[in-house]
Every structure is written in structure tokens, then in C-alpha cells.
Amino acid sequence: MTRLNDLEKKEMLADAASEDLQRDFRKLANPGTSLTPAEYLAFLTWASKFSKERIEDRKPMTGRFLL
């Protein structure tokens, strides 16, 4: 597991203190709230920029996988 450097720790603490982010998490935690397919796709597109994995490095999936 990668360890956070001091700058990353400060950024995470600043995010945790953000009232806007806290409001967003409360909204997402509400079981009565759901995203439309378009909103979910927009979220996945936004979140994908944080992925450090390269698709080219993935090995093919084998076996049985249940979702």
C-alpha cells in the first residue's frame, strides 16, 4: 500500500474539513437518493482521472466472476 506524503495528507485533511464535500457525502449516504445513469456515468468519468492503472497493463480476466 502506498503511503501518503505530507502534501497529500494536508490535502486530505482540507477535503475532510470542506463543508461542500461533507454535504455531498451526506447526500450520497442518503438511501433515498439515487443517481441517474447519466449522473453515474459523469461521476465515473470524473473519478477515472484519479486512477493510476493503465488499461494496457491489465491481464485478461479468467474464470467465473459473479457481480
Side-chain angles (χ1 to χ4, degrees):
M1 183 175 198
T2 305
R3 294 183 183 255
L4 299 176
N5 63 37
D6 289 339
L7 177 59
E8 292 168 328
K9 290 177 186 176
K10 287 179 185 177
E11 289 174 349
M12 288 188 77
L13 289 171
D15 284 344
S18 166
E19 290 183 20
D20 290 337
L21 192 59
Q22 290 176 16
R23 184 187 67 246
D24 292 342
F25 274 109
R26 279 192 298 275
K27 182 178 178 184
L28 290 173
N30 182 354
T33 303
S34 61
L35 299 176
T36 66
E39 291 171 327
Y40 185 59
L41 183 58
F43 166 75
L44 292 176
T45 302
W46 169 82
S48 68
K49 66 184 172 186
F50 298 108
S51 174
K52 297 186 185 290
E53 181 182 27
R54 292 176 8 128
I55 293 174
E56 297 83 15
D57 296 338
R58 290 186 189 171
K59 294 181 181 178
M61 292 175 60
T62 58
R64 290 176 72 168
F65 292 90
L66 302 174
L67 298 178

